[in-house]
């Protein structure tokens, strides 16, 4: 993280334990006195690298004015919502509206709930903390990993979930429904190949069952619920329900089928149930800006006009709902018919001419200035992008808290041989390298580290180095939905084709036969 706003700062430093565990120390030197509470509040972000998503509106409400029309005021307004770790000192001029706080919207009370928000008419809404329920650390998939049997119980009026081995019934991991997942629990879940819900959940409210399923699905473990009742299904996202009911891949199935099974489930769970995306519907409908995903600008800078239409088509086929494309024509132009087609796309496409003598870094800077998204992502004209690519990056930024997220060059298409290889490469981890054509970060974060370097090459590596030197984090999510292309037109980094053919994990003639790698 980084130091929060604090006046009179002369110097600050942080000391972390060399072994990875132990005590951390933050030291701040000020030129003038400041309240101790303000100093502590500024120190907390240093130890907490989670970064909120860019938003065009805030749930912070002024205390000294009339409440907005969508919030029914009771006597004693305002009623401060429950404050989190960052809000130990509530600012005197605002309150924060939290989805777990009791609020009244359109006459329906949203009561506080450990699982999200429950309305007075018993229509529950599941909201899960994605900073603890996420796939970070998950590397393995497939039938060679152990299975788990999930049971839910309402003992002592407190719903619990537990996952046990199918052979001897020994409990592998357990927790109380609604509690954030601990590091130990997440580690145990990453070592499981599948989890199947067995037996009736007697005494457990449907909202609690739904909350447990959403939380586990967000970790990426393939979850199978063969007898998912309608009372539980009605509290889960409609596109998550069929994924939970779908049969698991067979023992002899394609190994990638197991990965795709878990990835599809966690996408749906994160999109609809992760805090930050999953505002209760009553609030989101009354104040839509609160539940809207952040806007993203895809930066496409190219010298090859013949590739523009295909690259733009891959972006316009994205499932992400708040996307624009900025095309930087770097010393080239487009035929009139191509320009006309760009103007007919279902999302905004901005075209910017950049003189050919400008460097790549300068061209990217010009495209960034034109971008209106709170997040920007770099797109290469010759790489392949599946329809879920942008969503994958935005979700990874949310649950990882990293400054930069991206995918690795795990799937590589060798154009000269019409061959795609899958390389051995770790994912869902913090790292120092992501593929340049997948970099996503906040536009403000990009500007804070000095933007793109004005050089003809290595602009991606230069940006990553600046972010890391500035104390930021780089996170690499799974590689599905992105194919790095090697062709004969020249590359800034060219180790030769044999480099990618050395001991590949898998190989396919042409592109892999999965929708993940093909525009919708």
């Amino acid at each position: 993280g980084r130091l929060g706003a604090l006046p009179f700062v002369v110097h600050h430093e942080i000391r972390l334990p060399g072994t990875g565990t132990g005590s951390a120390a933050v030291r701040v030197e000020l030129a003038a006195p400041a309240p101790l509470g303000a100093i502590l509040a500024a120190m907390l972000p240093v130890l907490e690298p989670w970064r909120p998503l860019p938003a065009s509106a805030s749930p912070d409400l002024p205390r000294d004015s009339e409440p907005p029309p969508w919030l029914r005021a009771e006597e004693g307004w305002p009623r401060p919502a429950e404050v989190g770790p960052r809000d130990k000192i509530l600012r005197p001029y605002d309150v924060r509206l939290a989805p777990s706080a009791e609020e009244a919207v359109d006459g329906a009370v949203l009561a506080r709930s450990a699982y999200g928000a429950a309305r007075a008419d018993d229509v529950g809404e599941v909201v899960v903390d994605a900073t603890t329920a996420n796939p970070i650390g998950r590397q393995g998939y497939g039938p060679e990993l152990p299975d788990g049997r999930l049971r839910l119980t309402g003992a002592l009026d407190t719903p619990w979930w537990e996952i046990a081995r199918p052979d001897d019934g020994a409990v592998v991991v357990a927790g109380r429904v609604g509690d954030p997942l601990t590091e130990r629990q997440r580690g145990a879940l990453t070592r499981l190949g599948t989890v199947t819900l067995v037996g009736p959940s007697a005494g457990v409210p449907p909202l609690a069952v739904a909350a447990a399923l959403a939380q586990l699905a967000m970790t990426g473990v393939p979850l199978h619920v063969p007898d998912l009742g309608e009372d539980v299904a009605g509290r889960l996202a409609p596109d998550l329900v069929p994924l939970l009911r779908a049969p698991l891949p067979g023992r002899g199935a394609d190994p990638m089928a197991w990965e795709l099974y878990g990835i599809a489930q966690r996408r749906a769970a994160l999109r609809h149930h992760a805090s930050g995306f999953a505002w209760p519907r009553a609030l989101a409908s009354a104040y839509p800006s609160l539940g809207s995903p952040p806007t993203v600008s895809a930066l496409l800078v190219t010298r090859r006009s013949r590739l523009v239409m295909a690259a733009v088509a891959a972006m316009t086929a994205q499932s992400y709902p708040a996307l624009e494309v900025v095309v930087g024509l770097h010393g080239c132009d487009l035929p009139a018919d191509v320009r006309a087609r760009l103007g007919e796309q279902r999302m905004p496409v901005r075209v910017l001419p950049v003189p050919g003598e400008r460097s790549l870094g300068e061209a990217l800077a010009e495209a960034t200035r034109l971008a209106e998204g709170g997040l920007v992502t770099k797109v290469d004209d010759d790489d392949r992008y599946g329809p879920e690519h942008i969503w994958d990056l935005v979700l990874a930024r949310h649950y990882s808290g990293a400054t930069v997220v991206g995918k690795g060059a795990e799937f590589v298409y060798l154009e000269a041989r019409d061959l795609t290889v899958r390389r051995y490469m770790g994912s869902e981890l913090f790292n120092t390298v992501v593929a340049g054509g997948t970099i996503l970060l906040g536009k403000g974060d990009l500007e804070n580290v000095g933007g793109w370097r004005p050089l003809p090459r290595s602009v991606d590596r230069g940006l990553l180095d600046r972010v890391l030197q500035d104390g930021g984090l780089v996170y690499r999510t799974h590689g599905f939905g992105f194919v790095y292309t090697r062709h004969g037109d020249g590359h800034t980094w060219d180790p030769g084709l044999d480099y990618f053919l050395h001991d590949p994990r898998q190989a396919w003639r042409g592109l892999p036969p999965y929708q993940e790698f093909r525009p919708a």
Side-chain angles (χ1 to χ4, degrees), residues 115-141:
Y115 326 121
R119 292 184 54 157
D121 56 6
D122 195 36
V123 178
E125 313 234 7
V126 174
V127 182
V128 181
D129 179 8
T131 64
T132 64
N134 56 60
I136 295 176
R138 172 163 284 277
Q139 300 294 327
Y141 285 90

Side-chain angles (χ1 to χ4, degrees), residues 1 48-52 130-131 134 136 394-405 430 445 471-475:
E48 187 181 37
W50 183 78
R51 308 176 69 82
T131 64
N134 56 60
I136 295 176
V394 175
L395 292 174
R397 185 184 188 274
H398 179 59
Y399 62 72
S400 72
T403 309
V404 171
V405 298
F430 292 95
D445 292 326
L473 297 174
V474 177
Y475 185 81

Side-chain angles (χ1 to χ4, degrees), residues 69-74 79 97-99 101-112 117-125 280-286:
W70 47 267
L71 182 63
R72 188 180 68 195
E74 304 289 350
R79 296 167 295 162
L97 178 64
E102 182 176 329
E103 300 292 346
V105 182
D106 295 334
V109 175
L110 298 179
R112 294 172 55 182
R119 292 184 54 157
D121 56 6
D122 195 36
V123 178
E125 313 234 7
R281 282 190 289 270
L283 284 180
S285 62

Side-chain angles (χ1 to χ4, degrees), residues 12 65 95 111 128 197 287 312 317 331 356-357 362 374 395 418 421 484 493:
H12 84 277
S65 65
V95 296
V128 181
L197 179 64
Y287 195 14
V312 170
E357 61 271 16
E362 291 174 304
L395 292 174
D418 190 29
V421 297
Y484 177 57
W493 174 67

Side-chain angles (χ1 to χ4, degrees), residues 76 94 97 180 183 189 226-227 235 253 292 299 313 353-354 356 363 375-376 431 433 468 473 477 489 494 512 520:
D94 64 24
L97 178 64
E183 186 174 351
L189 289 169
D227 299 316
R235 290 159 169 82
S292 301
L299 309 178
V354 181
L375 298 171
V376 293
N431 204 271
V433 178
L468 293 167
L473 297 174
T477 188
D489 289 354
D494 192 3

Side-chain angles (χ1 to χ4, degrees), residues 298-386:
L299 309 178
L300 171 64
V301 172
T302 179
R303 291 183 180 273
R304 297 173 288 199
S305 58
R306 70 182 188 280
L307 301 180
V308 167
M309 198 62 236
V312 170
M315 291 297 102
T316 57
Q318 294 292 308
S319 62
Y320 194 76
L323 180 66
E324 69 163 7
V325 184
V326 179
V327 180
L329 298 176
H330 195 187
C332 62
D333 201 357
L334 294 176
D337 62 325
V338 175
R339 281 184 174 271
R341 290 170 62 192
L342 292 180
E344 298 170 355
Q345 303 303 309
R346 68 180 184 86
M347 63 180 60
V349 179
R350 306 170 188 273
V351 180
L352 172 71
V354 181
E357 61 271 16
R358 299 278 186 88
S359 67
L360 173 60
E362 291 174 304
L364 281 167
E366 292 296 328
T368 302
R369 292 189 186 99
L370 191 63
E372 295 184 352
L375 298 171
V376 293
T377 183
K378 185 170 173 285
V379 175
D380 287 345
D381 57 10
D382 51 359
D383 292 334
R384 270 77 167 181
Y385 299 90

Side-chain angles (χ1 to χ4, degrees), residues 217 221-224 240 243-244 261-270:
V221 61
L223 187 58
H224 181 43
L240 176 60
L243 297 174
L244 295 176
Y261 189 98
I263 287 173
Q265 287 183 347
R266 82 188 200 211
R267 277 191 191 128
L270 285 163

